Amino acid sequence: MSHITMTGELSRVLSKRDVFVLALGAMIGWGWIVQTGYFIDQSGVTGAISAFVLGGIMVSVVSLIYGELASAMPFVGGEHVYSMRALGPAGSFVCTWAIIFGYVSVVAFEAVALPSALAYIVPGFNVFELWTIAGQPVYGTWVLTGVVGSVVITYLNYRGVRPAAQFQAILALIITLAGLTLLLGALFNGTSPSSPPFANAGIGGVFTVAIMTPFMFVGFDVIPQAAGEADVSPKMLGGLIGLSVACAAAFYIAVIWAAGQVATGTTLVESPLPAATAMEIAFNSKIIGRIMALAGLAGILTSWNGFVLGASRAIYALAESDMLPGSLATIHSEHNTPSTAVVLVGALAALAPLFGEQMLVWIVNAGGLGMVTAWFLVVISFLILRYRNPGLNRPFRLPGGYVVGALGLVLTVFFIGLYLPGSPSALSWPYEWAIVALWSLLGGVLLILAGGLPTQSEAKAHMSAHELER
């Protein structure tokens, strides 16, 4: 404990490039490698692209709202800061705990996705069966791989944000090159065998894919979380958020189109790694397909890395506001990282492989509800602050702010409804709702241990201290 201090500050060491690749790498992670076949099979190439356009519009609107708020309040914690100012301590806790749920769900997803990918690449990887959950065996090799991966990514983030950002830049480049290679293969070797428009599923198929897009796009909001460590102007910070979403949307749409030009949805959905299968078909080479699988490993690591950073900063921000135990606000005196929060996120991720491959589905669905709930509360905060604090300095100011805010409100409410009982895509019982309930219970217990919610006057004093530091 000799290197740990409860006081101390996060260092502003992230450049424009660092901020951009942290967000982009977090978004274009592993999901597209394993889900492209499902997207095309469910709604056809046209339907899948339509779904990503719909999801991209929703996320783009929300990201622009984030951009204005981040430029006005460029402090670590992102959502926590905005919602605290607009909604008070109770609303801020719900919003921030919801986004932490979304981030931790991605981190847990990657801890299971890593052994899943290795099982595809390495023959005979599944050994030492431990137990069965939801009909799926849990292997010792899966658990060991997930735990080792958690330790490595946690250590990288513990050591400092700058090394983590450099690591992210290298892997994001690998993923981008892999996606471009698949696109070139489709352009020159594609035969357009893809399933019929909308895969005969109509608008239902589009919505089936659309509800998965929040999980695919989450990552842009890592930028506001790391705002306290960005050596970037507030106006530029807001612009980088929107740019990262636009680039991710273009990437996803290009990959879906390219995969649909070289294979049918039926063929792709039968593969554990559809994007790798599409690459193999496009170039008639198993070796190139394996290379795509390795790019998928890079995608796992970029998302994992980006969301450990995002989740730990959000936890730190809550703890600094006395809504979580004070030890989680620890800043390492040598590395300038929220070290205890980083370790907590890593520990939660290490538990996920114990539940086997089925955890991938549960985590995507349950975590998506947390993400969209937080985005909804950020949009509410945006509208309240536009009304209550019109004179707030907003370097990245949206034209027609109320119209954009209203559109964001409608879109986020629509997406929340897709997860609730009565919807065809509602979360399943017991597993997915149990995950939501356990996360809510954990938040309540930690809040009690921290002494409960601060008063309005304490919250205002905390915000004033932030503004003075700025």
Side-chain angles (χ1 to χ4, degrees), residues 51-137:
F52 270 83
V53 169
L54 177 62
I57 289 171
M58 188 269 286
V59 177
S60 295
V61 171
V62 173
S63 72
L64 289 172
I65 289 170
Y66 265 86
E68 177 172 307
L69 293 171
S71 74
M73 293 166 278
F75 310 122
V76 66
E79 293 88 348
H80 170 64
V81 180
Y82 321 145
S83 55
M84 176 72 88
R85 185 157 187 163
L87 304 173
S92 182
F93 182 83
V94 172
C95 178
T96 313
W97 195 243
I99 202 65
I100 294 171
F101 179 37
Y103 290 168
V104 170
S105 74
V106 178
V107 173
F109 176 92
E110 308 306 352
V112 183
L114 179 61
S116 176
L118 290 176
Y120 176 83
I121 297 170
V122 181
F125 181 80
N126 295 338
V127 294
F128 306 119
E129 183 174 336
L130 301 176
W131 48 74
T132 300
I133 293 182
Q136 296 287 337

Side-chain angles (χ1 to χ4, degrees), residues 63 248 340 425 468:
S63 72
T340 309
S425 52
L468 289 172

